[in-house]
Amino acid sequence: EIDVWVRDTSASKRTLWICGMAGRGKSTIAATVAHSWRFRASCAIFHFRRGQDARHTRLVCALARQLGSSLVPEVRKAVLETVRENEDIANQRLNEQFKTLIVASLGKLVQHPYPILIIVDALDECHNS
């Protein structure tokens, strides 16, 4: 079902939320999807970890770094151009990083034929400080 959802670029629902009780395999699903699509799409994954709040502030930059090394040249170019234009982006607030590195970068793509898959796992482990 997830593969069908990823392939369906016409779908109006572009967010897939997988939720459930702890220990039900959500992280395994996330890792498996990322692994299976890594050569067929631009794919980035971030796993939140309990007790690693300092790492959590790097969420957007970590996703952008992965997209910037994408096997899809158009995605790689769009992200790297945005990074060059905004060299101090890592010092900005997360919402500004997201708008710049993800929304603006990917917004440069027109009629992009390959899926872009961004996976955020274990969001419930994110400490809201």
Side-chain angles (χ1 to χ4, degrees):
E1 288 180 34
I2 293 172
D3 283 351
V4 170
W5 173 82
V6 171
R7 282 189 203 99
D8 186 6
T9 58
S10 67
S12 61
K13 188 175 181 184
R14 297 310 315 150
T15 302
L16 178 64
W17 188 276
I18 300 174
C19 58
M21 299 292 294
R24 298 290 183 161
K26 298 177 302 295
S27 293
T28 301
I29 291 170
T32 300
V33 170
H35 179 76
S36 90
W37 279 93
R38 74 182 188 276
F39 296 119
R40 300 184 287 158
S42 295
C43 190
I45 186 168
F46 186 89
H47 300 276
F48 281 100
R49 301 280 186 238
R50 180 176 292 144
Q52 296 183 6
D53 294 344
R55 180 179 179 272
H56 298 169
T57 62
R58 292 181 248 148
L59 162 70
V60 177
C61 288
L63 293 171
R65 180 177 29 79
Q66 292 172 61
L67 292 173
S69 61
S70 171
L71 296 176
V72 179
E74 298 89 349
V75 173
R76 183 175 56 243
K77 180 181 176 191
V79 172
L80 294 177
E81 280 178 1
T82 301
V83 169
R84 279 191 287 277
E85 294 165 1
N86 300 276
E87 292 179 4
D88 69 333
I89 194 66
N91 298 320
Q92 302 297 317
R93 296 175 56 104
L94 281 177
N95 64 333
E96 290 302 316
Q97 289 178 15
F98 183 77
K99 287 180 202 173
T100 303
L101 293 174
I102 306 297
V103 176
S105 291
L106 301 181
K108 294 177 182 180
L109 303 172
V110 179
Q111 299 295 334
H112 182 65
Y114 301 100
I116 299 171
L117 193 56
I118 297 174
I119 300 169
V120 179
D121 180 42
L123 191 57
D124 59 327
E125 300 294 337
C126 176
H127 177 29
N128 187 10
S129 44

